Amino acid sequence: MNPKPSEHLLHALHAHQQQHRFVSDQAICDIASRLNLPRAQVEAVTEFYSFFHRNPRGRFDLLFSTCTSCGDLSLQQALCEKLGINAGETRGDGLVSIGEASCIGMCDHGASLLINGLPLHSLDSERIGKIAELIEAETALEAWPAEWFKIDDHIHRADLLLQEPLESGAALRVVEAEGADAALEKIRFSDLRGRGGAGFSTAQKWQFCREAEGESRYVICNADEGEPGTFKDRVLLTSYADAVFEGMALCARIINAKQGYIYLRGEYRYLLESLEAALATRREVGLLGSSILGIDGFDFDIAIVVGAGAYICGEESALIESLEEKCGNPRIRPPFPVTSGYMGKPTVVNNVETLAAAAGIVIHGERWFRGAGTWQSRGTKILSVSGDCAKPGIYEYPFGITIQDILNQCGAENTQAVQIGGPSGSLIGPSKFDHHIAFEDLATGGSFMIFDSSRDLLEIIHNFTNFFAHESCGFCTPCRVGTTLLKNGMDKVCSGHGTAHDLDELKATAALVSRRSHCGLGVTAPNPIRDGLKHFPELFEARLLHQEMEPEFNLDASLEEARQLTHRDDAEAHL
């Protein structure tokens, strides 16, 4: 591992691609030599991450979001027609490339895209027309309307974590006054559980890491929120970054770590400059670096590594692999990261919200936190609300809030279904709107996607199934093959060619993928289909062919090209 983030493999590949618009074979050799890495490793990493390209991209490189909340591929098609280009291609003159990306975290800003890595939101037909004109005129992005790139927080409800910014260094000063053991006990008694969705005890994780054998320890902030419909980390890192840094330093003090890393998703690269500036400020005032708060031996610093478009890197062991300059493949566990994580050393991996909450608990005390929520789910949860409602944005609620209350407050009407926790979570209908956001009821990492009665819910499930097939890392067969089989099955059903037999196959494949996959992505990938069949069976039934079965493969149709080549269309040329 190269110690300086600027020399990290992902950063080296990004820097090269920024200059040359692709990563060539020669560049792979040069970068491998410079970083003293095997050429095969550099090539594998280049192929693994979707933001790296082996063929030249256009000078304007556009990636339209495919998310159900911040994507609209009809606008992509409209721009393609205006520019005379097919989706997924680079125009012959090298001016522009148009492709697709999974959710880019702009779900509260309407249809969005990335252009040369920058998010551009609030797309409509008028803006698409102006974009086409600016591209054809080869207008530099710096001269495009600034408001197109302005990202608002859209915080509609604040509670414990979002009401007021945390004072820099406040949690660290409490730790020094009361001791690291007392700080860990505060977090333990607060019952803080990981906010990524799994809900593991934060104090227990820190305790395990602290007690694990190892000469060095690490703190990693998982800022790779790639779940479609989630954008709360974007807001925390924009307006509450110091609370996150404080939580990382607090954890470091408790487990005795010297180095921390923020793994920032590639879609949020635009935040890098402001985050680096905030880290620099903390160093200047003695809250990072050597002898923090003037205490001998309290040395800790934070570096940022930016991902490159791989949903799987939100899984903690895949994230660690990526930090180690490898493909983001999930590891076999145990051992768990708390005993053998980054570089084989004890490592705490927490998400952005968890670290910010930990800092607040040490400052305000465990009762401040325990006083909100339910007895099994203490504190508050920050939700990214998107989809069909009047006020999409950020809502922080005490755990225990009902789905219906959230729908009422965000201005949702005629709601057909809500996707809790993103595509890997739960798809529920109105009969469950009296359920609660809580680990013991409906757990979520933060995504809350609303679909009203105007939506084709079967196409929503189809979209989610495509997402998992696209994002499977290919490490294990059940996920690699199974997610594609599920996608093919949904293709058939949605095109009106499915039969009852195909639904049985979907159920069987979904069960196998969920039961046999290696990591959480594969385990949860069939959830949209399983929830759809369970709660909305009539949607599938209505799209079926009412016959026993239809072959997956039409052999006679596939022979059409051969008939044309041989100029035959007689009876013997057909089956």
Side-chain angles (χ1 to χ4, degrees):
M1 165 65 191
N2 298 285
K4 297 180 181 178
S6 60
E7 296 175 342
H8 193 281
L9 175 56
L10 294 182
H11 296 180
L13 289 169
H14 173 77
H16 179 88
Q17 185 167 274
Q18 285 293 98
Q19 185 175 358
H20 301 281
R21 295 188 282 128
F22 79 116
V23 181
S24 64
D25 290 342
Q26 186 59 49
I28 287 174
C29 291
D30 294 344
I31 291 171
S33 176
R34 193 173 83 236
L35 300 186
N36 196 27
L37 294 171
R39 184 190 186 283
Q41 181 177 339
V42 177
E43 184 162 14
V45 166
T46 306
E47 297 285 353
F48 184 86
Y49 296 89
S50 63
F51 284 179
F52 295 137
H53 306 288
R54 299 303 307 276
N55 295 307
R57 302 288 291 181
R59 297 189 289 283
F60 293 93
D61 188 5
L62 287 78
L63 296 174
F64 279 78
S65 171
T66 60
C67 173
T68 58
S69 291
C70 63
D72 185 343
L73 294 185
S74 68
L75 294 174
Q76 179 196 53
Q77 183 57 35
L79 185 60
C80 284
E81 291 172 2
K82 289 180 182 297
L83 294 172
I85 183 176
N86 294 320
E89 296 181 354
T90 299
R91 208 166 77 173
D93 60 2
L95 178 65
V96 57
S97 297
I98 295 181
E100 297 176 2
S102 299
C103 178
I104 62 172
M106 294 293 145
C107 302
D108 53 337
H109 286 75
S112 304
L113 58 79
L114 292 173
I115 180 164
N116 294 355
L118 294 173
L120 193 162
H121 57 79
S122 305
L123 298 176
D124 55 23
S125 56
E126 181 182 353
R127 186 161 293 186
I128 287 292
K130 292 179 180 176
I131 289 172
E133 293 172 6
L134 289 167
I135 290 175
E136 292 290 13
E138 301 191 39
T139 306
L141 285 184
E142 292 75 12
W144 287 33
E147 65 270 20
W148 291 6
F149 301 95
K150 184 176 181 296
I151 311 298
D152 295 319
D153 285 346
H154 291 152
I155 297 174
H156 296 296
R157 190 184 192 283
D159 209 292
L160 297 180
L161 303 183
L162 301 181
Q163 281 184 339
E164 56 185 55
L166 178 148
E167 179 188 348
S168 295
L172 299 181
R173 282 188 278 273
V174 172
V175 173
E176 292 317 305
E178 300 177 0
D181 290 342
L184 183 59
E185 289 307 297
K186 277 187 180 180
I187 296 171
R188 189 188 315 283
F189 289 130
S190 74
D191 281 344
L192 173 63
R193 300 169 65 174
R195 266 38 187 168
F200 191 79
S201 165
T202 301
Q204 203 169 353
K205 179 181 283 189
W206 292 14
Q207 180 89 37
F208 287 154
C209 188
R210 185 189 201 190
E211 294 175 349
E213 293 185 5
E215 296 176 355
S216 55
R217 294 174 175 75
Y218 296 96
V219 180
I220 295 174
C221 173
N222 183 350
D224 193 50
E225 62 168 357
E227 193 73 39
T230 310
F231 49 88
K232 66 182 179 59
D233 290 354
R234 185 201 81 211
V235 173
L236 286 169
L237 292 171
T238 300
S239 301
Y240 302 83
D242 211 45
V244 181
F245 301 152
E246 189 87 3
M248 293 182 70
L250 166 68
C251 178
R253 186 57 170 161
I254 290 174
I255 69 171
N256 193 26
K258 304 295 184 188
Q259 181 64 52
Y261 291 99
I262 295 175
Y263 189 90
L264 183 69
R265 70 181 306 217
E267 292 82 349
Y268 293 168
R269 178 177 291 277
Y270 75 96
L271 291 174
L272 183 59
E273 184 176 347
S274 63
L275 290 173
E276 292 285 13
L279 288 173
T281 299
R282 286 185 72 91
R283 293 187 189 103
E284 290 172 2
V285 299
L287 294 175
L288 280 179
S290 301
S291 302
I292 292 174
L293 295 177
I295 302 167
D296 287 341
F298 185 10
D299 307 328
F300 178 69
D301 212 330
I302 297 172
I304 302 174
V305 172
V306 185
Y311 168 76
I312 189 60
C313 289
E315 197 276 340
E316 64 177 5
S317 69
L319 183 156
I320 291 170
E321 289 283 299
S322 184
L323 271 182
E324 293 181 357
E325 303 178 296
K326 304 171 190 170
C327 299
N329 290 319
R331 293 178 176 176
I332 295 172
R333 298 183 297 178
F336 293 95
V338 288
T339 57
S340 181
Y342 179 63
M343 306 303 287
K345 305 298 183 184
T347 302
V348 163
V349 183
N350 279 134
N351 82 348
V352 173
E353 185 180 351
T354 307
L355 290 163
I361 290 166
V362 169
I363 295 170
H364 301 292
E366 63 271 25
R367 292 184 179 178
W368 168 79
F369 192 76
R370 287 177 60 89
T374 71
W375 73 276
Q376 288 179 293
S377 304
R378 304 291 189 183
T380 60
K381 185 75 193 82
I382 302 175
L383 299 178
S384 311
V385 176
S386 67
D388 302 320
C389 63
K391 295 185 293 182
I394 295 297
Y395 294 74
E396 184 187 11
Y397 291 108
F399 273 113
I401 184 80
T402 68
I403 305 304
Q404 188 60 60
D405 285 341
I406 298 171
L407 293 173
N408 293 341
Q409 292 183 33
C410 71
E413 297 179 349
N414 302 316
T415 302
Q416 175 184 193
V418 178
Q419 184 74 39
I420 309 291
S424 66
S426 303
L427 178 65
I428 62 170
S431 65
K432 286 199 168 187
F433 287 175
D434 60 342
H435 282 240
H436 305 82
I437 296 293
F439 291 109
E440 65 272 26
D441 194 351
L442 290 169
T444 174
S447 174
F448 191 98
M449 306 169 83
I450 303 167
F451 306 111
D452 69 18
S453 56
S454 70
R455 296 279 196 130
D456 183 342
L457 199 55
L458 203 60
E459 284 299 335
I460 300 290
I461 296 169
H462 192 193
N463 176 291
F464 292 162
T465 306
N466 289 346
F467 167 76
F468 284 115
H470 177 263
E471 294 294 345
S472 173
C473 73
F475 178 76
C476 72
T477 303
C479 179
R480 182 180 65 252
V481 177
T483 52
T484 297
L485 290 175
L486 292 173
K487 171 190 172 299
N488 293 344
M490 285 301 299
D491 287 347
K492 190 174 182 183
V493 171
C494 289
S495 64
H497 293 281
T499 66
H501 171 77
D502 293 304
L503 294 191
D504 291 339
E505 287 296 305
L506 274 176
K507 291 175 186 175
T509 305
L512 186 149
V513 173
S514 182
R515 199 165 52 239
R516 300 299 183 190
S517 291
H518 173 64
C519 77
L521 185 149
V523 170
T524 59
N527 284 359
I529 292 176
R530 301 179 88 174
D531 286 346
L533 288 168
K534 181 178 180 181
H535 301 303
F536 305 94
E538 68 281 2
L539 299 177
F540 291 80
E541 295 286 344
R543 204 68 69 90
L544 294 184
L545 272 177
H546 295 291
Q547 61 187 46
E548 186 175 344
M549 59 88 71
E550 182 179 270
E552 290 278 353
F553 181 68
N554 188 334
L555 181 57
D556 186 68
S558 68
L559 290 173
E560 179 59 28
E561 184 177 359
R563 283 192 290 268
Q564 292 180 8
L565 290 172
T566 57
H567 305 291
R568 288 188 58 186
D569 195 25
D570 55 275
E572 292 186 354
H574 289 269
L575 296 176

